[in-house]
Amino acid sequence: MFNFSRKEELQSAEKPALSAISEIESINEAPLSETHHIKETTISPGTILRGEITNENNMTINGEVEGDVTSKKVTQIGKEGKVVGKVTSLKLVVNGLLKGCCHAKTVVIMSRGRIEGDVYSNEFSIEKGGVFIGHSHWVEETAEIKDKKTRHSDGATSERSPALVPVDGGAAGNNQRQANE
């Protein structure tokens, strides 16, 4: 009788331990699966990086980068971040300092951000307190979007072609008028 209850006590003591281990394993597995979906490169404060960075994922810069930065997604320059060079990205958010030009579909200067250089973008905004010293250039489309459109239009035939029409009353305009008279 005592042996039987002793076995039950041992088994019941083992069950919580096993369930605790399985809970820990499930907790450890969850962040691993989440990190596979969210990929981001971070340059920590105090880090100085010299050279060119090319990245296909999101990037956060809180340190210092001297060189060109290229990302196919979002690039953020944090409040402690500093970039001296050219930044090319889908979206650029500046809350630190960028000395150089940038090419992005969307550029946002946050309240503590500063850009000293040219901005090539089709969406550009500056929050109150943000500083922009340079020239902004409106870009209709990025090269990737144009490439996609030309690939799609290569397969389709166009019925109309653009006509050349003289803008001023120059020689072409006079010749046109004479032919009509």
Side-chain angles (χ1 to χ4, degrees):
M1 185 168 180
F2 291 109
N3 289 340
F4 180 72
S5 62
R6 178 81 173 144
K7 286 181 184 177
E8 280 183 8
E9 287 177 30
L10 290 175
Q11 288 176 352
S12 64
E14 288 176 11
K15 284 182 183 177
L18 291 174
S19 64
I21 291 171
S22 64
E23 285 179 32
I24 291 171
E25 288 174 352
S26 66
I27 291 171
N28 288 337
E29 288 173 1
L32 289 176
S33 63
E34 289 175 11
T35 57
H36 291 297
H37 298 291
I38 302 171
K39 295 181 180 179
E40 183 171 343
T41 301
T42 303
I43 298 173
S44 303
T47 303
I48 299 174
L49 190 95
R50 291 182 181 94
E52 183 178 318
I53 300 173
T54 303
N55 193 355
E56 294 187 7
N57 300 308
N58 294 339
M59 182 181 304
T60 301
I61 301 170
N62 290 316
E64 185 175 333
V65 175
E66 295 176 6
D68 296 344
V69 176
T70 303
S71 174
K72 291 188 177 182
K73 293 191 179 175
V74 179
T75 301
Q76 295 182 11
I77 301 174
K79 62 183 179 181
E80 297 177 32
K82 178 181 177 183
V83 176
V84 179
K86 177 181 168 185
V87 176
T88 304
S89 183
L90 179 65
K91 180 177 181 180
L92 174 64
V93 179
V94 180
N95 206 16
L97 173 64
L98 169 61
K99 285 187 174 186
C101 68
C102 64
H103 298 264
K105 180 180 177 186
T106 305
V107 176
V108 179
I109 301 177
M110 304 296 284
S111 61
R112 301 177 103 192
R114 180 182 182 104
I115 294 180
E116 297 177 8
D118 291 348
V119 173
Y120 296 87
S121 175
N122 63 356
E123 295 177 25
F124 183 33
S125 64
I126 305 170
E127 287 187 1
K128 184 177 180 179
V131 177
F132 173 61
I133 301 171
H135 299 280
S136 64
H137 305 274
W138 184 72
V139 179
E140 187 174 330
E141 295 177 343
T142 61
E144 288 180 11
I145 294 172
K146 285 183 182 179
D147 288 343
K148 287 179 183 176
K149 284 188 177 180
T150 56
R151 275 189 247 135
H152 289 298
S153 66
D154 287 345
T157 57
S158 177
E159 293 178 13
R160 297 183 338 167
S161 62
L164 298 176
V165 178
V167 177
D168 60 349
N174 290 334
N175 291 340
Q176 186 90 26
R177 275 188 235 122
Q178 289 172 358
N180 288 338
E181 293 174 354

